[in-house]
Amino acid sequence: MIRNYAELLEHFRIEEKVKLDNYNLKHGPTIGDMYEGLTRDILDKTIPETADLKVVSGFIHNGISDLSRQIDCMLVQGSGERIPYTDDYKWHIKDVIAVLEVKKELYTNEMVDSFQLLADISRRYSEYIMQHASKEEIRIDSVVKTFEQLTGRKYPGRDFVKDLPFNLELIFHSLMVELISPIRIILGYSGFQSEENFRDALCDF
């Protein structure tokens, strides 16, 4: 029984993945394109038509650094620049809501490569914020609550974060980055045989 839209999409994903797994093709880049296309298609089905949101692939820029590496799948708002004679776009990072790195098979090498790409996205967003930070106040209630739960320390106030011990200051700034930067997701359709193996590889990395 399908009880909600998410379950419907999950059934769709499973059925379509079986078709792709059984498709007779041995060209690695094209196989990767098929799984990326499936991911974009599923994500696109979740977006209300009235929302000013799009699902695209392409490159991210921040007006400061060169273009990012090619991004498999991005959830974006606003408008970007279509790259001539392709289906890819160049999109400013301020209008990128989420970035998905898609892997048909996710093992250690693919995980490391994906983390490096997504870390580059975080760096580009930080560069943009440092130069173009809005004067508007950002609500950080969730960051304060999480910081206090993680550390057992009371939040000292924005003007006194710099006086925290280095490890606590780093935790606070990491939480802030997660609050305001694009969501970053690694999606593997298959790979590690168990969650324990995945966790071990992640910890080693």
Side-chain angles (χ1 to χ4, degrees):
M1 176 184 294
I2 296 175
R3 293 167 294 184
N4 55 51
Y5 191 49
E7 289 184 2
L8 175 64
L9 289 174
E10 176 62 5
H11 282 277
F12 171 77
R13 182 195 69 80
I14 292 170
E15 290 297 322
E16 293 303 305
K17 180 181 181 299
V18 170
K19 293 178 187 176
L20 296 189
D21 288 344
N22 293 328
Y23 193 77
N24 185 21
L25 186 70
K26 297 190 185 214
H27 186 251
T30 304
I31 292 171
D33 289 345
M34 291 193 305
Y35 284 87
E36 292 162 18
L38 172 58
T39 303
R40 286 193 296 271
D41 193 51
I42 293 171
L43 185 56
D44 198 43
K45 285 176 167 50
T46 69
I47 300 172
E49 292 184 4
T50 54
D52 179 27
L53 299 173
K54 300 181 185 69
V55 180
V56 301
S57 61
F59 304 85
I60 291 174
H61 71 93
N62 61 5
I64 303 166
S65 307
D66 295 334
L67 291 175
S68 70
R69 284 167 46 190
Q70 187 172 24
I71 306 297
D72 296 335
C73 182
M74 298 182 280
L75 178 63
V76 297
Q77 62 185 354
S79 59
E81 176 187 345
R82 187 166 185 172
I83 299 173
Y85 301 107
T86 76
D87 293 326
D88 286 342
Y89 289 80
K90 291 196 291 187
W91 219 276
H92 197 290
I93 199 162
K94 68 180 174 61
D95 292 324
V96 176
I97 296 169
V99 175
L100 287 85
E101 181 68 359
V102 180
K103 300 293 183 184
K104 177 181 182 288
E105 295 180 332
L106 182 66
Y107 293 106
T108 300
N109 289 340
E110 291 80 13
M111 180 184 68
V112 171
D113 179 70
S114 298
F115 264 101
Q116 290 170 342
L117 172 64
L118 298 183
D120 179 63
I121 300 303
S122 292
R123 177 184 63 79
R124 291 170 186 277
Y125 191 80
S126 296
E127 287 179 347
Y128 168 74
I129 285 295
M130 291 294 289
Q131 290 213 2
H132 303 283
S134 170
K135 301 300 181 184
E136 298 177 7
E137 288 291 320
I138 299 173
R139 288 186 60 88
I140 63 169
D141 301 9
S142 60
V143 169
V144 170
K145 180 179 179 181
T146 305
F147 173 82
E148 292 180 344
Q149 289 175 332
L150 280 174
T151 65
R153 293 279 295 265
K154 184 169 178 57
Y155 172 60
R158 185 170 299 183
D159 294 337
F160 299 99
V161 168
K162 65 183 183 303
D163 298 327
L164 289 169
F166 175 74
N167 61 322
L168 298 184
E169 184 181 1
L170 187 60
I171 289 173
F172 179 81
H173 285 302
S174 296
L175 292 171
M176 280 295 298
V177 168
E178 292 304 316
L179 174 69
I180 64 177
S181 62
I183 299 166
R184 299 169 308 286
I185 300 167
I186 301 171
L187 177 61
Y189 278 89
S190 61
F192 290 99
Q193 293 301 306
S194 69
E195 183 178 347
E196 182 179 4
N197 290 346
F198 170 70
R199 287 179 177 273
D200 288 343
L202 183 60
C203 289
D204 288 343
F205 170 59

